[in-house]
Amino acid sequence: MQPMHKGRFADPAVEARFQEAGRRYRVPFVRGYGVLFMVIALAYTVVNPLLLDHAANAQVAVWLGLTVLVAGGYVGATFWQGYVRQPVIDFAALLVILLLVAQVNQTLYEFLARSDANLHAVTTINRLAVTAFAAVALAGRPRLFLIWLGCDFLEWMGQTVYDGTFTAELIYALLSFVSGRAVTFAINLAITASSRWAYALADAFETERNRNEALVHNMLPPAAVERIRDGRMVADAYADVSVIFIDMVGFSKLAKRVSPGHLVELLNGFFNHADRCAAEHGVEKVKTIGDAYLAIAGGNVSCGNSADAAIAFARAVLEGVDDLVRAAGVEVGLRVGIHSGPVVGGVIGATRMAYDYWGETMNIAARIESTAPVNGIAISESTWLRARERAAFGAPHVEMLKGVGETCVYHAGPAAPPPVELGAAA
């Protein structure tokens, strides 16, 4: 829930979004009210010639014509893109309409008082209808509506009290006026409070939904998420990808020497560093397996030449080994194995779902990793043939891989430290 401060959202940005959203939802009602009021004004224009004398009808027709023009301009203003950010439009338009209605009523009041004393108290157009709509149109801004009511009261007093004396009729009229406006102000406060709580709940729900959506997309590709939501099976075939398998050297021995907390901190540093490198080079993280990191280039994430992307990613990860050593305070080494070929990807199971890859390419990458030098890279011949940057890899080695047999492998050792200039050494 969004925190509140003095009846408003504590965050100005949230308050601004609430105001704009509320006004945007009320736009259809504002347009409907404006059109309805124009129809009512036109209806009076048709009826008045039948009941009023020529002078009174002409005067009322002028005020009603102005009322129709203002109401039409008010409706037209709602089509302006900046309308939702300008509550002063509602304030001014409804106040002018109210003043015009007051002029119409004053003219009719004077005519009825002259023609029949028994009808002098009739109010032809109810001002409270305009006030009630102003309470809705200015919802969310009770102070602005209170100022609007103050202007309404001053105009009513100036039109009602002529000689400064308060008769019983005026006192009752004042009580009726004040009670009616008090009710509309209460309506404005109720709409404001309920809409604020509704917006806060909706905002909290949207925030939580976005957080859950981010978590889901962090585990599954967007295309897979859509298929799962539609109840479809997620199964994909990739003809040419490069699988990267990174393992920490001597992890089992290291686990016996350091505390559990220190070990988790070390692994977290390694995996976070690998995640950053994967995002930088367009490589997709598949999962972590114990102390190993499995990634793939050319799968769900487009990266161009998968072999080049995989090798660049591996080198970036290895460049961070020194930082891991300094942070952990212990010697840390990594081995990287890369193999290119076809794989199958998809999602299986109904709980703890994750997008995974299967196939011989995955197994060979894991086997090749074991042949890599410490803090070095081993790639298969298929990866070497696909790569454009081969300078760092020397002559091929024939390795006997368990479950695979003899395989041609290329090795790249740790990057040599930069040469020290004589001036710097001195």
Side-chain angles (χ1 to χ4, degrees):
M1 294 289 289
Q2 290 289 343
M4 306 285 286
H5 178 66
K6 295 183 178 179
R8 299 168 62 89
F9 291 113
D11 187 349
V14 176
E15 177 67 22
R17 290 200 303 271
F18 161 73
Q19 294 291 350
E20 290 191 19
R23 288 177 57 75
R24 189 174 293 109
Y25 293 144
R26 289 192 293 271
V27 163
F29 299 99
V30 171
R31 292 171 182 169
Y33 174 81
V35 172
L36 178 62
F37 200 84
M38 286 190 288
V39 171
I40 293 173
L42 291 173
Y44 275 95
T45 304
V46 173
V47 172
N48 285 337
L50 305 176
L51 304 176
L52 305 179
D53 58 32
H54 180 72
N57 178 59
Q59 190 174 3
V60 170
V62 171
W63 296 122
L64 287 175
L66 291 175
T67 302
V68 172
L69 288 176
V70 174
Y74 182 28
V75 172
T78 62
F79 290 93
W80 175 44
Q81 188 175 5
Y83 164 76
V84 295
R85 296 187 298 273
Q86 302 295 335
V88 68
I89 294 176
D90 301 276
F91 182 94
L94 291 172
L95 188 60
V96 171
I97 289 174
L98 185 71
L99 295 176
L100 293 172
V101 168
Q103 291 298 324
V104 172
N105 285 346
Q106 182 65 25
T107 303
L108 293 175
Y109 176 85
E110 292 174 354
F111 171 78
L112 293 173
R114 291 194 307 270
S115 61
D116 192 334
N118 293 326
L119 295 176
H120 73 281
V122 173
T123 301
T124 308
I125 301 180
N126 196 336
R127 293 162 53 112
L128 195 59
V130 182
T131 307
F133 182 75
V136 176
L138 296 175
R141 297 181 181 270
R143 295 179 183 178
L144 188 63
F145 180 60
L146 195 59
I147 296 174
W148 192 93
L149 288 178
C151 295
D152 178 26
F153 177 74
L154 291 176
E155 186 280 330
W156 182 83
M157 287 293 292
Q159 194 176 53
T160 305
V161 180
Y162 297 99
D163 54 5
T165 59
F166 286 86
T167 62
E169 181 181 350
L170 288 177
I171 292 175
Y172 279 116
L174 179 62
L175 289 174
S176 176
F177 180 91
V178 172
S179 61
R181 271 54 183 182
V183 170
T184 58
F185 185 63
I187 292 173
N188 178 270
L189 291 177
I191 296 175
T192 298
S194 60
S195 59
R196 283 188 183 279
W197 280 109
Y199 183 84
L201 289 172
D203 187 68
F205 174 79
E206 184 66 16
T207 300
E208 189 62 28
R209 190 187 72 83
N210 291 336
R211 184 182 295 113
N212 292 337
E213 195 78 4
L215 288 173
V216 170
H217 284 92
N218 190 42
M219 296 183 294
L220 300 170
V225 174
E226 295 301 322
R227 281 181 283 176
I228 291 173
R229 286 175 175 168
D230 294 340
R232 292 178 287 163
M233 179 181 294
V234 181
D236 304 301
Y238 301 91
D240 188 13
V241 301
S242 294
V243 179
I244 310 104
F245 201 91
I246 308 176
D247 196 13
M248 190 172 290
V249 179
F251 179 78
S252 299
K253 294 181 180 179
L254 184 64
K256 298 176 182 178
R257 294 164 46 202
V258 300
S259 65
H262 194 181
L263 190 66
V264 171
E265 183 180 358
L266 172 62
L267 287 175
N268 190 54
F270 164 44
F271 292 148
N272 286 338
H273 168 61
D275 287 345
R276 290 189 294 268
C277 294
E280 181 180 350
H281 292 87
V283 171
E284 176 188 356
K285 173 186 177 180
V286 179
K287 58 185 174 182
T288 60
I289 309 169
D291 61 316
Y293 188 96
L294 178 60
I296 193 167
N300 284 293
V301 180
S302 178
C303 64
N305 187 312
S306 67
D308 287 338
I311 293 171
F313 161 69
R315 286 172 176 166
V317 173
L318 292 176
E319 287 174 0
V321 170
D322 291 340
D323 293 333
L324 292 175
V325 171
R326 283 193 294 269
V330 294
E331 287 297 323
V332 177
L334 302 177
R335 286 195 180 98
V336 182
I338 304 174
H339 178 55
S340 302
V343 297
V344 173
V347 179
I348 57 176
T351 60
R352 293 192 177 185
M353 291 184 293
Y355 195 95
D356 207 349
Y357 293 90
W358 305 276
E360 187 66 14
T361 302
M362 309 296 292
N363 298 329
I364 294 176
R367 300 300 185 192
I368 289 177
E369 173 273 320
S370 62
T371 71
V374 178
N375 294 331
I377 307 172
I379 65 174
S380 67
E381 185 177 29
S382 62
T383 302
W384 186 85
L385 290 172
R386 288 169 173 80
R388 290 189 293 263
E389 298 295 333
R390 307 171 181 173
F393 297 92
H397 300 267
V398 176
E399 302 282 353
M400 180 61 70
L401 304 182
K402 182 179 178 181
V404 179
E406 292 185 350
T407 305
C408 186
V409 178
Y410 294 79
H411 291 165
V420 180
E421 298 180 5
L422 294 178

